Amino acid sequence: MDKDITIYDIAKELDLSPTTVSRALNDHPAVNKNTKQKIYSMASQLGYRSNMFASNLRRQRTNTIGVIVPKLNSNFMSSVIAGMEKVANEADYNLIISQSLETVEKEIANAKTMFNSRVDGLLVSLAFDTENMDHFEPFISKDIPVIFYDRVSDHKQFAGVVIDNVQASYEATTHLIEQGCQNIIHITGNLRRNVYADRLKGFKYALLDNDLPFSDASVIINNLSEDAGVEAAQQILQMDSRPDGLFVSNDTCAVHCMKTLTHAGISIPDEIAVVGFNNDPICRVVEPSLSSIDYPGYEMGEVAVRSLIHYLSGLADTSVTRITLRSELIIRSSSLRKGKENNKGKALALLPETK
Amino acid sequence: MDKDITIYDIAKELDLSPTTVSRALNDHPAVNKNTKQKIYSMASQLGYRSNMFASNLRRQRTNTIGVIVPKLNSNFMSSVIAGMEKVANEADYNLIISQSLETVEKEIANAKTMFNSRVDGLLVSLAFDTENMDHFEPFISKDIPVIFYDRVSDHKQFAGVVIDNVQASYEATTHLIEQGCQNIIHITGNLRRNVYADRLKGFKYALLDNDLPFSDASVIINNLSEDAGVEAAQQILQMDSRPDGLFVSNDTCAVHCMKTLTHAGISIPDEIAVVGFNNDPICRVVEPSLSSIDYPGYEMGEVAVRSLIHYLSGLADTSVTRITLRSELIIRSSSLRKGKENNKGKALALLPETK
DNA sequence: TTGACAATTACAACCGATTGCATATTTTTT
DNA sequence: AAAAAATATGCAATCGGTTGTAATTGTCAA
């Protein structure tokens, strides 16, 4: 366990001042090329590694990005994190990740921790029941950028990376209508969250544009869990006029709802056509395979970190307050009815083994 | 954007020395109770937050744990991380997470980054093709604890958190044999990794104990991906004597292999019975539902961080070099043959909706 | 030869908390 | 009442880089 090498050691070894060594290591232009070379080689020879804490202390920045995520262990969210990690790593930023577990309380606690850890910037996807944004105030007032992803804040002051949920939902609903569905149920999450509110909006618009009636009874709001899916199916089975289409805001919920319906003897897609959301791997495994909205998680993570770093580098384009990524309806067996293949050239993915 | 409050501000305000303030905030016994109270309330009144960097610089520790994970976006790994995050957070440690993406090169780079970030300890699950442990040497020689989880190192000097893969595999294989399988194929990953080597061992032992022959042809080694599963199925379809049992080291691979076989007209479990590994949610979704080894990811994450922190707190029990968690065979339709329900009281999970 | 100017390098203060040692104050003991 | 011990507080150095400003050296034109 040998002692750590500091810039002072390098300086002494080369008979220079720590100042010059520090500047050289930061590639400061005011240091002679030859000197730099000498310092570099001496540094690596001695096994020097910079002390981030000394540096951070002096520079008042941490090269650390905080990430608050509702729940880590879902396919979508872990893809997002994977994307974030990649970009952050490449740009020499560290990530501190914490989960709100879908509750405001934990989200507030997380925000506080992040603030105390003095993150340079914060990336947040809001918990189900977060109402106000007060816990992000400390960041704002200290000019620490906060960027939302997926579950964003409505307040115009906050930047966010999203997909066009209205459009995606509109597309999914229209697809169901094209397949002959006349009575579609939409299962979605807490409407305080933009993602769910927007999807409901898209659902309504699609009905409207196709002269189909909308009523509150067409919407089931739950927490989109497995159990909620099963429960929703039971609810549907009890309905007076059974729906012939189902658009669910989340694949897990959709799958378990669908399976429950199948077990109750309902045939999918003929009696009820189903579309999910997220395009989780699970979609290609369930029988019948589940149509879904492909949702670029990995990319969303990359973009979120990239714009945060962009902002931190002072290249901020403060006018850009929303970045919208593409999303795409993937049609599979769960919503494709025989003799209805008028899909206007949309992507098809009939066979389960198709990617 | 108001200036940050430091202990000097608090000291000045109360006409005390920074020393006392620092001690009070660390609950040092040599500070008077009343003084402490005054300092606490002044601190919160002024909105003081400790500067980790100054503190870390002085104390030469970071309260940060590094985590190297092969791939973040799998159900198992994200559960592990979720568990780690929970415990770390509770103990006021930060997590720095990075992915090796299953390659040594990235793993080495990650280790270097972690080392330069001066993590207090390191948690590692090895990449597929990691051969030697040289990149962890710097940690060892600086007395920074490295604990492995799941994919551990064989070297006795490294501690690790694991399940008993031999036992789990033995159980799964025995179960297949009990269901009447006489010719079982084992699909697994790179044998350099303990998890796969051990599972092969358990597989062999089970055959041996049941007087079934083992040959190299009974083992398929691949990267356990979706595609590998499809490919393995094609391989199986070409075999002269078609197997009647299949034990796969990973659910994703098992599921796609199974689906390919089903599509080729093979009936599961009657013609081929299948058992996977990990008990991913996907197991309960696929038709027929997939038997699998339940693998406590979340718990593994918790335990790993807990023992690392334990070690860092000096409570180290250096003799404990392996912590083994329970794992359990979950029997579902993919391996349960009719009229063979002699399962000696094992857990059953026949219906897809069963948790 | 000298002053202007650029190119390098160094000095020294600073970032904010921690801690060994010394000092001051109070309490206990004899 | 003096000495010893216990309690509470402060001084000042330290952790390892960073940076504004000053000093030194060299170059070139006048």
Side-chain angles (χ1 to χ4, degrees):
Chain A
M1 179 144 67
D2 18 53
K3 217 186 121 286
D4 261 323
I5 302 297
T6 71
I7 53 170
Y8 297 96
D9 299 319
I10 300 178
K12 200 175 297 170
E13 206 72 32
L14 294 173
D15 205 25
L16 287 167
S17 76
T19 307
T20 305
V21 176
S22 171
R23 294 220 169 94
L25 292 171
N26 285 305
D27 207 14
H28 193 289
V31 177
N32 185 284
K33 269 184 208 153
N34 300 321
T35 315
K36 269 187 197 171
Q37 266 320 314
K38 270 187 231 153
I39 290 174
Y40 291 153
S41 63
M42 181 55 71
S44 75
Q45 183 190 320
L46 296 179
Y48 168 80
R49 52 176 183 159
S50 154
N51 187 318
M52 285 176 43
F53 301 99
S55 171
N56 285 339
L57 175 58
R58 182 59 225 235
R59 292 208 235 227
Q60 304 283 27
R61 60 200 301 288
T62 68
N63 257 56
T64 296
I65 294 173
V67 180
I68 298 180
V69 65
K71 252 173 143 301
L72 260 173
N73 43 352
S74 81
N75 180 269
F76 173 69
M77 279 305 171
S78 56
S79 301
V80 173
I81 300 288
M84 289 179 170
E85 196 275 332
K86 182 176 152 255
V87 176
N89 198 280
E90 284 170 4
D92 258 325
Y93 272 85
N94 285 321
L95 243 43
I96 296 184
I97 300 165
S98 74
Q99 317 179 67
S100 67
L101 299 174
E102 299 286 14
T103 71
V104 221
E105 293 77 26
K106 252 236 144 205
E107 186 176 289
I108 292 175
N110 288 338
K112 201 169 288 177
T113 306
M114 296 293 180
F115 187 67
N116 289 333
S117 304
R118 293 173 141 84
V119 295
D120 288 340
L122 189 63
L123 297 172
V124 184
S125 189
L126 292 167
F128 261 137
D129 57 348
T130 300
E131 290 261 23
N132 70 56
M133 301 285 130
D134 292 352
H135 44 306
F136 300 117
E137 262 316 311
F139 295 88
I140 309 302
S141 69
K142 271 208 156 338
D143 243 346
I144 300 168
V146 178
I147 295 184
F148 292 84
Y149 62 95
D150 194 42
R151 308 232 200 113
V152 304
S153 161
D154 292 328
H155 298 298
K156 290 283 176 253
Q157 56 172 319
F158 293 114
V161 182
V162 290
I163 60 164
D164 187 338
N165 284 286
V166 179
Q167 167 59 25
S169 166
Y170 184 93
E171 207 176 317
T173 310
T174 305
H175 162 65
L176 285 172
I177 295 170
E178 280 169 359
Q179 294 298 311
C181 298
Q182 297 280 319
N183 179 12
I184 306 174
I185 295 278
H186 178 39
I187 302 180
T188 196
N190 193 319
L191 295 180
R192 270 204 287 272
R193 291 287 72 80
N194 67 305
V195 286
Y196 305 121
D198 285 355
R199 288 172 202 173
L200 177 56
K201 216 182 276 177
F203 175 69
K204 278 187 191 169
Y205 291 167
L207 294 186
L208 194 69
D209 287 357
N210 288 277
D211 299 318
L212 289 174
F214 169 83
S215 88
D216 287 344
S218 321
V219 182
I220 297 177
I221 293 181
N222 59 32
N223 66 4
L224 297 173
S225 66
E226 279 188 28
D227 294 346
V230 173
E231 219 167 279
Q234 281 153 358
Q235 228 171 303
I236 287 169
L237 290 168
Q238 311 258 313
M239 288 181 176
D240 296 335
S241 63
R242 184 171 292 166
D244 53 3
L246 194 51
F247 172 39
V248 189
S249 253
N250 166 307
D251 288 329
T252 306
C253 184
V255 161
H256 287 269
C257 185
M258 188 165 85
K259 284 185 82 81
T260 308
L261 292 174
T262 308
H263 276 265
I266 290 181
S267 123
I268 312 267
D270 294 330
E271 288 178 77
I272 302 184
V274 185
V275 175
F277 214 107
N278 271 25
N279 197 24
D280 273 2
I282 212 179
C283 292
R284 287 175 291 120
V285 165
V286 72
E287 199 69 48
S289 60
L290 179 63
S291 300
S292 193
I293 301 284
D294 187 47
Y295 203 143
Y298 193 88
E299 216 177 317
M300 188 173 276
E302 292 183 307
V303 170
V305 171
R306 208 171 284 133
S307 34
L308 188 61
I309 291 179
H310 199 249
Y311 188 97
L312 290 171
S313 314
L315 312 164
D317 210 350
T318 21
S319 58
V320 178
T321 171
R322 279 280 180 286
I323 297 176
T324 305
L325 302 179
R326 57 144 190 84
S327 65
E328 184 190 3
L329 174 64
I330 308 283
I331 299 169
R332 297 199 180 86
S333 324
S334 71
S335 69
L336 196 65
R337 287 178 176 165
K338 310 241 154 53
K340 277 280 183 184
E341 274 114 30
N342 55 342
N343 288 290
K344 299 174 189 161
K346 276 177 197 159
L348 286 194
L350 278 174
L351 294 175
E353 39 293 66
T354 308
K355 273 255 168 110
Chain B
M1 176 144 69
D2 18 53
K3 218 184 121 289
D4 260 324
I5 302 296
T6 72
I7 54 169
Y8 298 95
D9 300 319
I10 300 178
K12 201 174 297 170
E13 207 72 32
L14 294 172
D15 206 24
L16 286 167
S17 76
T19 306
T20 304
V21 175
S22 171
R23 293 217 173 94
L25 292 172
N26 286 303
D27 207 14
H28 192 287
V31 177
N32 185 283
K33 271 183 206 153
N34 301 321
T35 315
K36 269 187 195 170
Q37 267 319 316
K38 269 188 230 152
I39 291 175
Y40 291 153
S41 63
M42 181 55 70
S44 76
Q45 184 190 320
L46 296 180
Y48 167 81
R49 53 176 182 158
S50 154
N51 186 320
M52 285 175 43
F53 301 100
S55 172
N56 286 339
L57 174 59
R58 182 59 225 238
R59 290 210 236 227
Q60 304 282 27
R61 59 201 302 289
T62 67
N63 257 56
T64 297
I65 294 173
V67 181
I68 299 180
V69 66
K71 253 171 142 299
L72 261 173
N73 43 352
S74 81
N75 181 269
F76 173 69
M77 280 304 173
S78 55
S79 301
V80 172
I81 299 289
M84 289 180 170
E85 196 276 331
K86 183 178 150 256
V87 177
N89 199 280
E90 284 171 3
D92 257 325
Y93 273 83
N94 285 322
L95 243 41
I96 298 185
I97 299 165
S98 74
Q99 317 180 65
S100 68
L101 300 174
E102 300 285 13
T103 72
V104 220
E105 294 77 27
K106 253 236 146 205
E107 186 176 290
I108 293 174
N110 288 338
K112 202 169 288 178
T113 307
M114 296 294 179
F115 188 67
N116 289 333
S117 304
R118 286 162 207 258
V119 295
D120 288 340
L122 189 63
L123 296 172
V124 184
S125 190
L126 292 167
F128 261 136
D129 57 349
T130 300
E131 289 262 25
N132 70 57
M133 301 286 130
D134 292 353
H135 45 304
F136 301 118
E137 261 317 311
F139 294 89
I140 309 301
S141 69
K142 270 207 156 339
D143 243 347
I144 300 168
V146 178
I147 296 184
F148 291 84
Y149 62 95
D150 194 42
R151 308 230 200 116
V152 304
S153 162
D154 292 327
H155 297 300
K156 289 284 175 253
Q157 56 172 319
F158 293 114
V161 183
V162 290
I163 59 164
D164 187 338
N165 284 285
V166 180
Q167 167 59 25
S169 165
Y170 185 92
E171 206 176 319
T173 311
T174 305
H175 162 66
L176 285 172
I177 296 170
E178 279 169 359
Q179 295 298 309
C181 297
Q182 296 281 318
N183 179 12
I184 307 173
I185 294 277
H186 179 40
I187 302 180
T188 195
N190 193 319
L191 296 180
R192 270 205 286 273
R193 290 288 72 79
N194 67 304
V195 287
Y196 304 120
D198 286 353
R199 287 173 202 173
L200 177 56
K201 218 181 276 178
F203 174 68
K204 279 187 191 170
Y205 292 168
L207 294 187
L208 194 69
D209 287 356
N210 287 277
D211 299 319
L212 290 174
F214 169 83
S215 88
D216 288 345
S218 320
V219 182
I220 297 177
I221 292 180
N222 60 31
N223 65 6
L224 297 173
S225 65
E226 279 188 30
D227 293 347
V230 173
E231 221 168 277
Q234 281 152 358
Q235 230 170 301
I236 287 168
L237 290 169
Q238 310 259 313
M239 288 182 176
D240 296 335
S241 64
R242 183 171 293 165
D244 53 3
L246 196 50
F247 172 40
V248 189
S249 253
N250 167 308
D251 288 328
T252 307
C253 183
V255 161
H256 287 269
C257 186
M258 188 165 85
K259 284 184 82 81
T260 309
L261 292 174
T262 307
H263 276 266
I266 290 181
S267 123
I268 312 266
D270 294 330
E271 287 178 79
I272 302 184
V274 185
V275 176
F277 214 107
N278 271 24
N279 197 24
D280 273 2
I282 212 180
C283 292
R284 287 176 288 121
V285 164
V286 72
E287 200 67 49
S289 60
L290 179 65
S291 300
S292 192
I293 301 284
D294 187 47
Y295 204 140
Y298 193 87
E299 215 178 318
M300 189 174 277
E302 291 183 309
V303 170
V305 171
R306 208 171 285 134
S307 34
L308 188 61
I309 291 180
H310 200 249
Y311 189 96
L312 290 171
S313 314
L315 311 165
D317 210 350
T318 20
S319 58
V320 179
T321 170
R322 278 281 179 286
I323 297 177
T324 306
L325 302 179
R326 58 147 190 80
S327 66
E328 184 190 5
L329 173 64
I330 308 282
I331 299 168
R332 297 199 181 86
S333 323
S334 71
S335 68
L336 196 65
R337 287 176 176 165
K338 310 240 156 54
K340 277 277 181 186
E341 275 114 29
N342 55 342
N343 287 288
K344 299 174 187 162
K346 277 176 197 159
L348 287 194
L350 279 174
L351 295 176
E353 37 298 61
T354 308
K355 273 254 169 113

